[in-house]
Amino acid sequence: MIGGPGAVPAELTGRIVTPGDRRYPLLRSTYTTRANPAAVLLPESTAEVVVALRHARERGLPIAVRSGGHGLAGSSSNDGGVVIDLSALNRVDVLDRASRLVRVEAGARWAEVARKLAPYGLAISSGDHGNVGVGGLATGGGIGWLVRRHGLTIDHVRAVEVVLADGTVVRADATHEPELFWAVRGAGAGAGIVVAFEMAAAEVRNVGVAQLAIEARPDGSTVRRWADALREAPRELSTAAMLLPYGPSTVMSLTAVVVAESLRRVRPLVAPLRELGTVLDERIDLVPYPALVPTAHLHPNAGQQPNLTTNGLLAGVDDRSARAVMRAAGGRHRALVQLRSVGGAVNDVAPDSTAYPHRHQDTLVVATVFPPHGPAALDEAWRGLADHTDGAYVNFEGRPGPAAFTRIYPGATGARVAGIWRRYDPDGVFRVAWESGRRETPARGR
């Protein structure tokens, strides 16, 4: 039982949602996973997060923390446990326009952040979908549309407010709780509940957006030329591509974003991408930054897109790895393969400065399978790529556990992360999924 007569703290009255409550169907699940928690708690302040955490811990139930619910691992909900949902903690405030310092609460969605910062001419590079929650992305890394020019989201975090597993509230920054501050920038999931971030935003108003459909050759040459073009491109250009079936062949659906204020600057940066192969379709526009993560993206997360995903980082794309990418996309299970450019400003940061140590790679490869295909199909698609990868990114890993932990936090980084998690959460309240693994199959409706 999560509660009972007299058992609910006054601060949570009306904010505990259990099965049978009309709100429950829209709060029980994540975007990728249908779940059946015993209760969803809806705190509206840091103090209420403390109360919610203590209330959940007193009942001895598994605890999941949710800022948005897009998380591919599905670990922001659970079966039979408690979900602490931060959606009501969604304020976005400009603290100092001159220094571009903003405060963003963890339950805000990135569409809301973009909309509220736009009148100030500011933006934060923050993933690629407006419905993603701030907390999960900003504690895992943050590979967004501006990544090569402005780096990862975590690279702009200046301070955090954290509720620890014992209910203590701390501020962490470069001089206060520096080890905790190091960990929450890349490995925040096991350290505590980050309820707010202070970040340095960037001066961004408009961006160029080019969308191209290019026939991708099965020998991998299109993929390799894409990587070569990005290696030579100015940092203003970042790209993401999906490899999709196109009759008997494959098409590269490419989105390129240029940090620029005029199409005169955008067109020459995009031009080399038109040389990658036969262009089947194209469009170039100049848009305000919020158009990339619009409020139209906002929606409830009800387990509507079950899938299983894994990823790896590449330190350069050669002929062999490019062919492996194409084999993964064109195999019998037709995994959805995505390519994202990193490098640039990401690699200006020292590998040991944050818990995201991958500062020499230039490409992220993501593979996803959908029901009825499961782990065996994903493993088959990924097998040829695995030997080419050099690390992985936590926010695109659908199967948390010890093996994934080693790829995401290799060597000394992993040892440091594990030590900090044990120090700040000795009872393992937040790191259960990473110690035992949580998802082995794509979620199905129940």
Side-chain angles (χ1 to χ4, degrees):
M1 290 288 290
I2 189 63
V8 177
E11 297 92 333
L12 298 181
T13 300
R15 297 174 193 164
I16 298 182
V17 178
T18 54
D21 188 304
R22 61 181 177 79
R23 297 170 291 177
Y24 185 79
L26 295 179
L27 292 170
R28 58 187 279 197
S29 301
T30 73
Y31 182 64
T32 61
T33 309
R34 291 187 179 180
N36 294 288
V40 179
L41 310 186
L42 300 169
E44 297 184 357
S45 66
T46 298
E48 290 180 8
V49 172
V50 173
V51 174
L53 177 59
R54 288 176 175 165
H55 184 64
R57 291 202 65 184
E58 286 169 1
R59 272 125 190 92
L61 297 175
I63 296 171
V65 180
R66 176 188 303 154
S67 67
H70 259 236
L72 296 177
S75 54
S76 56
S77 194
N78 57 38
D79 290 325
V82 178
V83 176
I84 299 176
D85 186 305
L86 304 179
S87 57
L89 282 78
N90 59 7
R91 287 182 59 93
V92 180
D93 297 302
V94 176
L95 301 180
D96 181 5
R97 177 60 183 84
S99 63
R100 308 185 309 282
L101 186 66
V102 303
R103 183 180 187 273
V104 183
E105 291 185 334
R109 307 294 175 101
W110 288 109
E112 299 166 334
V113 177
R115 177 175 60 84
K116 292 182 179 180
L117 294 184
Y120 299 90
L122 299 175
I124 298 170
S125 184
S126 52
D128 61 6
H129 198 281
N131 196 49
V132 171
V134 166
L137 184 134
T139 55
I143 296 174
W145 290 121
L146 312 179
V147 63
R148 296 184 69 247
R149 175 65 180 84
H150 292 294
L152 304 174
T153 306
I154 60 171
D155 297 336
H156 301 278
V157 175
R158 300 294 178 258
V160 292
E161 183 179 346
V162 187
V163 177
L164 300 179
D166 65 0
T168 302
V169 180
V170 300
R171 175 186 170 88
D173 57 28
T175 57
H176 303 90
E177 302 285 354
E179 282 294 278
L180 179 62
F181 183 56
W182 178 88
V184 300
R185 292 174 296 155
I193 303 175
V194 180
V195 293
F197 303 81
E198 292 179 14
M199 304 183 189
E203 299 274 0
V204 178
R205 293 186 183 274
N206 297 319
V207 292
V209 180
Q211 295 177 307
L212 299 92
I214 300 168
E215 188 171 359
R217 293 178 60 84
D219 63 1
S221 58
T222 308
V223 170
R224 182 180 52 74
R225 287 199 296 268
W226 167 81
D228 291 344
L230 266 294
R231 190 177 304 113
E232 301 298 324
R235 292 183 174 193
E236 286 85 355
L237 176 68
S238 298
T239 66
M242 289 189 292
L243 296 170
L244 304 169
Y246 183 66
S249 59
T250 302
V251 65
M252 174 184 281
S253 178
L254 178 65
T255 299
V257 175
V258 180
V259 184
E261 287 294 327
S262 73
L263 285 175
R264 182 181 302 175
R265 174 62 175 162
V266 173
R267 288 193 176 98
L269 268 65
V270 171
L273 302 177
R274 299 185 73 257
E275 306 303 318
L276 300 181
T278 301
V279 177
L280 306 174
D281 192 20
E282 67 175 310
R283 176 173 178 171
I284 301 177
D285 297 289
L286 190 71
V287 301
Y289 176 76
L292 293 176
V293 285
T295 54
H297 283 174
L298 298 175
H299 58 72
N301 296 306
Q304 61 265 57
Q305 186 59 82
N307 65 67
L308 199 60
T309 294
T310 194
N311 76 93
L313 291 151
L314 302 176
V317 176
D318 58 17
D319 290 340
R320 293 178 61 247
S321 58
R323 286 194 296 270
V325 168
M326 292 303 299
R327 284 195 295 269
R332 65 191 180 98
H333 297 302
R334 300 297 294 203
L336 173 63
V337 175
Q338 301 178 62
L339 300 166
R340 296 174 185 238
S341 57
V342 285
V346 177
N347 295 355
D348 291 343
V349 178
D352 61 355
S353 292
T354 70
Y356 180 97
H358 309 293
R359 304 293 184 165
H360 65 277
Q361 299 90 334
D362 58 19
T363 301
L364 173 68
V365 184
V366 183
T368 303
V369 297
F370 303 90
H373 302 302
L378 182 63
D379 291 341
E380 180 179 325
W382 191 252
R383 190 170 293 116
L385 267 168
D387 289 342
H388 299 283
T389 61
D390 179 12
Y393 173 43
V394 66
N395 285 349
F396 277 109
E397 180 52 59
R399 290 185 286 184
F405 183 95
T406 299
R407 295 170 57 233
I408 296 164
Y409 307 113
T413 297
R416 187 175 177 185
V417 167
I420 293 169
W421 284 4
R422 288 193 298 267
R423 173 183 170 187
Y424 286 95
D425 179 15
D427 297 327
V429 174
F430 302 120
R431 63 178 186 268
V432 174
W434 290 101
E435 291 181 336
S436 60
R438 185 184 186 282
R439 288 185 67 196
E440 294 302 328
T441 60
R444 291 174 173 80
R446 289 193 290 268

